[in-house]
Amino acid sequence: MELNIEEQLGAVERTVSSLERDGQPARAVRLARTYATTVDDLWDAVTSAERIARWFLPVTGDLEFGGRYQLEGNAGGTITHCERPSFLALTWEFGGEVNWVEVRLADADADGGGARLALTHTALLSDRWLEFGPGAVGVGWEMGLLGMDLHLTRPSEPKIDDETFHTTPQGKALLTGSSEGWYQAAIAAGTDPEVARAATKRTTAFYTGATVASA
């Protein structure tokens, strides 16, 4: 599968912000991307178990307000808000931690030129954040948004193989470029450049299987 790496990286808006959640310091990672489809179709792709498996991961559970979901080999949680076709919120429970994810959908412009997806992942400030920075979740979600693009534009082609993608030249370029994008977002949010660079190196190594050089 051939990908335009520069186009894919440029399609994603990345922002990082500091806030409080339940009275504790937290960080929010936000991604936004526009797709050549309608809000209704994008909502269906985000909420239908059959379609989620085609662009992200197989999912089981009760996919409605108040229900529990489980992604295969990944997070599970509770659906806390569900306002068709514009707003979905859920807990993201993985590795003993609870994070929060919100997805907002809207027309990309007043003339109905596509649909915009904005995803916000909020986590309490932790050792994991200090080690990897926003790319820890940002890169992973960015690959999910890539999966959505391919699902919508190339529905007859097989999904990217998550087990081998990071070993391919295109995979490494995309993952490295995404990690660099989150470095820039961290800097824009006020993170010390040296701290952000060290975290970015660790994030890139995690996703590509590379080795982090000793200081």
Side-chain angles (χ1 to χ4, degrees), residues 5 165-174:
I5 302 301
F165 183 62
H166 69 283
T167 68
T168 67
Q170 287 197 115
K172 289 180 179 179
L174 196 59

Side-chain angles (χ1 to χ4, degrees), residues 74-134:
N74 206 299
T78 299
I79 299 170
T80 56
H81 291 85
C82 186
E83 301 174 17
R84 180 185 181 93
S86 59
F87 180 57
L88 177 70
L90 46 87
T91 61
W92 185 267
E93 303 168 23
F94 185 75
E97 295 184 1
V98 178
N99 293 185
W100 301 269
V101 172
E102 295 182 355
V103 178
R104 298 180 184 274
L105 308 181
D107 288 327
D109 58 49
D111 296 323
R116 179 178 173 84
L117 183 156
L119 183 150
T120 303
H121 185 131
T122 302
L124 299 179
L125 188 61
S126 64
D127 291 342
R128 177 177 173 79
W129 178 277
L130 296 175
E131 182 178 4
F132 293 101

